[in-house]
Amino acid sequence: MTQHNTAGISLPSDKSPRLTPEQQLVAEYYQHQAMLCQWFATLLSAELDSTTLQAYMAGDAAPLLEELALLPELTESVHALEHAITGLSVLEQPRLELAADFASLFLSDARHSSAPYASLYLDEGRFNGPSAQRMQQRLAAAGYAVDEQFKEPTDHVAIMLDYLAESYRRLALDPTPEAEANVARFVSGELASWLPALATRARQTDTASQFYPALLALLAAYIEA
């Protein structure tokens, strides 16, 4: 979804200073948060392909969801998503019906869908408003741009989560107080401020499966937590 304008960020090599146990825990924590944000971003950037869908229906997501469910703030949302995944097996054509859900939720007219753009919720319903402009500035400052094949405004939830994942990767390498504060401000001001409303819209939309509404509810709870 995003492409680096530079060579990217490399993990510390064997020649890097050894981390203390506390530093190692911090690095692992931020790497894990990056993985979770990337997971959400991937699921919300495009329809599930057949291989991924079959993997989910076979239980491949269970370990990750079980881990998330250990957080009391996420338990209810995790169970709802688990129930939605289980329910995919009763659909006649799961992939096609999920694709239709994706289209009706995220690709339809914003007045009648759960349009996944921050501007719609934070800028009085104006697309490509200040929220998108701020996001574009962040992407430029971070040194990467949106992949040309992902033809969405920069305030699309998947792009914002992808950016957050990269921010966590950078924190894993250099967790300065300033960088941590910047990420915290982004999470609270640019994501937590509108994701609950997105999740509510999705829940109110008629869909064949509860997969995407449950996924968005879990995302909103995760960002809040």
Side-chain angles (χ1 to χ4, degrees):
M1 185 183 318
T2 57
Q3 56 186 16
H4 293 275
N5 294 331
T6 63
I9 299 174
S10 299
L11 293 176
S13 66
D14 293 340
K15 295 181 180 179
S16 300
R18 286 185 175 276
L19 299 179
T20 66
E22 181 179 356
Q23 290 172 328
Q24 183 64 36
L25 286 175
V26 170
E28 290 175 357
Y29 169 78
Y30 283 131
Q31 289 165 357
H32 188 63
Q33 300 313 308
M35 181 273 293
L36 289 173
C37 291
Q38 200 71 67
W39 177 67
F40 280 116
T42 299
L43 288 177
L44 293 171
S45 65
E47 305 162 359
L48 289 180
D49 58 36
S50 297
T51 301
T52 304
L53 175 58
Q54 290 302 318
Y56 273 65
M57 294 176 67
D60 282 16
L64 175 61
L65 294 177
E66 289 171 2
E67 178 184 341
L68 286 172
L70 295 176
L71 290 176
E73 305 96 321
L74 305 184
T75 302
E76 183 177 351
S77 298
V78 169
H79 289 336
L81 182 56
E82 290 174 331
H83 182 71
I85 292 174
T86 300
L88 294 174
S89 60
V90 304
L91 299 179
E92 290 187 11
Q93 300 184 67
R95 191 184 68 79
L96 293 179
E97 293 181 69
L98 269 186
D101 285 350
F102 187 93
S104 64
L105 285 167
F106 306 131
L107 304 178
S108 301
D109 188 315
R111 294 169 297 179
H112 309 292
S113 69
S114 307
Y117 310 105
S119 295
L120 179 66
Y121 303 86
L122 301 181
D123 303 332
E124 300 178 346
R126 292 179 295 158
F127 285 104
N128 289 314
S131 295
Q133 295 167 16
R134 289 194 302 272
M135 195 64 224
Q136 184 61 51
Q137 292 170 356
R138 288 189 179 91
L139 292 172
Y144 62 97
V146 178
D147 191 315
E148 293 181 356
Q149 295 183 359
F150 192 69
K151 302 181 183 301
E152 293 286 359
T154 53
D155 62 338
H156 188 287
V157 63
I159 295 175
M160 298 179 77
L161 288 168
D162 196 40
Y163 168 82
L164 180 56
E166 178 63 20
S167 298
Y168 279 133
R169 293 188 193 100
R170 297 186 180 197
L171 278 179
L173 296 175
D174 188 19
T176 65
E178 180 182 3
E180 291 177 327
N182 287 337
V183 172
R185 281 194 293 269
F186 176 74
V187 170
S188 62
E190 303 291 353
L191 286 172
S193 53
W194 66 281
L195 285 180
L198 172 62
T200 297
R201 276 199 179 197
R203 188 169 59 249
Q204 295 171 344
T205 302
D206 185 22
T207 55
S209 165
Q210 284 299 301
F211 178 80
Y212 288 113
L215 177 68
L216 288 171
L218 176 57
L219 171 61
Y222 165 72
I223 290 296
E224 181 65 26

